[in-house]
Amino acid sequence: LAKTRWLQLEQSCFSEKTLTLSVLTAEFARCVLQTGAPVTARSFLLRGLPMTLALVLITALTAGAELRADSCFSGADLRSRVVCGGLGLWFVWEAVETFRQAQELCWENFSSMAMLGLLPLLLWAGWKLEPSVLVRCAPILCWAAALAGLLGLLGLNGQFHWESLMMQADAQTIILPLYPEYFALPLFCPAKQVRCAVWLPVKAFILAGSFALCTELVFGAGNALPGIELLRAGRLGSISRFDALVLLVWLAAAMFRFCMLVQVVRQLAGRLWGRATPAEENA
């Protein structure tokens, strides 16, 4: 029976790649929307790395416990209902926050309310589409994000001031964000991919650290510019700015993350109320 339940759970899973895309999308938005003087790259790397490794350990222990407790997300008993309800509320909050970030960036950079117009379609897609559809879309968005990141780095080439790394800045508190995906890996990944997914905090740390390093190299330590100014500084030949391209790719990834979170909320609600999702019924 336990094996059958896990087979049904895997049918409604996404993949490690979709999970990575979702978390890195949220982490990139946090970097772009941050204001005030950021931490120095040196402090972030030296003090943030132990915190990240500790988070990896917590994630691995949580995932191992959830894999051993085969009824953790089944909704069959009080404990699993509490877990599903708590994670469901957290995922709802993340979905709302993702949509808010997308609308904010869309309005500030394109003077458009398109995200509000797309909201009903995104809710329908997240509620109706099966996880396999989103899994097939993830590699395309990953390649688009990699290409946009490469163009952004090429646009910043020649603007790096390496002496900025020697400048001293006021010590800042380092806060690593927590995402609900860290604590629900079996909901997103098949059991054989969970071992790779536990390193997700390290991937988010690398993205945030790279953003902090590039910001410091371009603007100097202790600057108070918004994170989005780093995107606007890119130049390559006759193309003076890459922020529009990068933000469009991010908006596509944000819509992907929103749909995925809605689908996860639906799965948790179905287990909470004892209703199977279409993928589980097919299994």
Side-chain angles (χ1 to χ4, degrees):
L1 291 176
K3 184 177 180 180
T4 302
R5 281 196 293 267
W6 274 113
L7 287 175
Q8 292 176 346
L9 182 60
E10 289 191 3
Q11 290 292 329
S12 59
C13 280
F14 297 92
S15 68
E16 189 266 338
K17 185 172 293 186
T18 60
L19 181 61
T20 301
L21 178 62
S22 174
V23 171
L24 293 187
T25 298
E27 186 66 20
F28 183 78
R30 189 184 69 87
C31 294
V32 169
L33 293 173
Q34 68 182 1
T35 56
V39 298
T40 62
R42 186 190 331 175
S43 298
F44 184 83
L45 294 175
L46 292 179
R47 291 190 289 168
L49 183 58
M51 298 168 61
T52 301
L53 295 179
L55 185 56
V56 169
L57 179 60
I58 295 173
T59 302
L61 293 176
T62 303
E66 290 169 349
L67 287 172
R68 288 191 297 271
D70 58 281
S71 61
C72 186
F73 299 110
S74 66
D77 53 16
L78 179 60
R79 182 189 63 175
S80 62
R81 287 177 180 271
V82 171
V83 171
C84 290
L87 283 176
L89 292 176
W90 197 355
F91 281 118
V92 168
W93 169 257
E94 284 294 322
V96 173
E97 185 67 11
T98 299
F99 182 82
R100 184 197 65 80
Q101 293 170 344
Q103 176 56 42
E104 180 179 344
L105 288 174
C106 191
W107 174 254
E108 291 181 355
N109 295 273
F110 304 108
S111 299
S112 173
M113 301 291 288
M115 290 302 301
L116 287 178
L118 290 173
L119 179 59
L121 178 61
L122 294 176
L123 289 172
W124 175 87
W127 198 263
K128 291 295 184 180
L129 294 180
E130 293 189 359
S132 59
V133 177
L134 298 176
V135 170
R136 290 193 294 268
C137 295
I140 301 175
L141 287 173
C142 287
W143 280 108
L147 179 60
L150 178 61
L151 290 177
L153 287 176
L154 292 176
L156 294 174
N157 187 31
Q159 302 186 54
F160 292 152
H161 306 287
W162 297 96
E163 63 275 10
S164 299
L165 297 179
M166 306 301 297
M167 298 174 59
Q168 298 295 325
D170 296 334
Q172 299 287 335
T173 303
I174 296 177
I175 300 177
L176 295 181
L178 294 178
Y179 299 108
E181 290 93 330
Y182 294 165
F183 307 101
L185 295 183
L187 267 178
F188 289 91
C189 302
K192 59 184 178 181
Q193 297 183 16
V194 169
R195 182 175 298 180
C196 296
V198 297
W199 295 99
L200 194 58
V202 175
K203 299 177 183 179
F205 173 77
I206 292 174
L207 175 62
S210 301
F211 197 93
L213 178 62
C214 291
T215 302
E216 185 171 334
L217 289 174
V218 174
F219 301 116
N223 69 87
L225 295 173
I228 196 171
E229 292 299 325
L230 180 64
L231 304 181
R232 295 171 177 168
R235 297 177 180 274
L236 186 62
S238 58
I239 303 176
S240 60
R241 289 172 56 178
F242 288 97
D243 58 305
L245 173 63
V246 175
L247 289 177
L248 283 175
V249 174
W250 181 85
L251 284 172
M255 289 187 284
F256 173 89
R257 172 174 165 81
F258 182 83
C259 291
M260 190 182 76
L261 292 176
V262 171
Q263 177 62 228
V264 173
V265 170
R266 182 196 175 186
Q267 292 182 16
L268 290 174
R271 293 188 175 97
L272 190 61
W273 298 106
R275 298 176 182 177
T277 62
E280 292 174 337
E281 291 175 354
N282 293 334

